[in-house]
Each structure stands twice: as structure tokens, then as C-alpha cells.
Amino acid sequence: MNQVYGMYKKLTAKNDKAGRAAFSAAFALKAPYFRTIAPMIQTMEPHRGVVKIKKWWGVQNHIGTVHAIAIANGMECAMGLLAEATTPDDMRWIPKGITLDYVAKTPGDIECVAETTPEDWDKEPPFQVDVKVTGRLVKDGTVAVEGIIPIYVSAKKKK
């Protein structure tokens, strides 16, 4: 278990809001651009990362929905959680791009879900991480944005 995943397990062990908020803040400090969306980490485990983003003026676009770049940022945050929890300790990862399809409006709070399977990680890198975004106001589970973030995994450099 790597250091980031270990911190998540420790801070969220009691399943309280304070621990989750503390981890969310620490994770956003590790990658400062995540602070722009004020992510609330919901799940970090091998092959799954989930982030919630509250709709507020700082993430809105000109038509009052969550801005496309804020959504992409949330999707990358969810992917990062998955990658940190899934990548072996002696390896490192880096995203190699992002492909997004906006299929519905996001009028309220959103949830970004990144998922892979163990079989996905048996292939040669880059690994394809599927990411979907649903909105709080989408009661039927309609996906608002779907995408793929390929990540490359390689051995950590010796110090």
C-alpha cells in the first residue's frame, strides 16, 4: 500500500466527515490545481476512485452549468485516486491524455467515477481508465460526461 492510499485508509477509517475532508484537502494540496474544484473524495480503492464536486460560482460556466474544464479536473482527480490505490509501490504513473464526451448538461453537484478492472492492468501500458460523471439532479442515473484517461505506469527511478 503506498503512502497516499495509506493516508486515505487512516483518515477515513472512522467514516466521518472530518477525516474525509482532511484527506480531500491533503490530496488537493498534492496536486494544487485540484483545489480549484474543491473536491470531496468519496472513494479511493484499487480500480475505483470517486470524487464529488459541489456546484458553486467558481466552477460554473456562462449558462449556469458546471464548466467543462472543472469536470475534466474532477475526472482526472478520480483517476488519480484510482491510480494511487492500484499502482504497485515500486511503480509510478502519469496520465497520457484525456478524451471526453459531453452527453448531457450538469445543472447541479456532480460525481466523477473512475474505474478499471484487474484485467485492464494485465495489458501493456498505457492503461485505459474509464471515467463517468453523473449529476445530483439526474435522478435516472444518466451519465452527463464520459471519458477515457490513459495512464502510463513505469518503474520508479532509483534514488
Side-chain angles (χ1 to χ4, degrees), residues 59-132:
V59 297
Q60 287 184 104
N61 59 21
H62 64 289
I63 61 171
T65 61
V66 179
H67 191 279
I69 299 304
I71 291 170
N73 202 352
M75 293 172 85
E76 189 169 340
C77 184
M79 175 280 302
L81 292 165
L82 174 152
E84 283 290 319
T86 309
T87 304
D89 288 346
D90 62 339
M91 306 293 277
R92 61 185 179 172
W93 61 270
I94 188 165
K96 298 298 276 186
I98 188 168
T99 304
L100 306 177
D101 290 315
Y102 299 94
V103 295
K105 288 182 180 178
T106 52
D109 301 346
I110 63 169
E111 182 175 75
C112 303
V113 180
E115 294 181 308
T116 60
T117 66
E119 294 77 26
D120 293 332
W121 289 69
D122 289 338
K123 300 172 186 169
E124 289 294 314
F127 303 119
Q128 304 294 313
V129 179
D130 293 322
V131 190
K132 296 189 179 355

Side-chain angles (χ1 to χ4, degrees), residues 25-43:
F27 194 75
L29 285 173
K30 182 173 172 81
Y33 53 92
F34 288 153
R35 288 184 297 184
T36 64
I37 59 169
M40 183 54 73
I41 309 304
Q42 301 300 301
T43 304

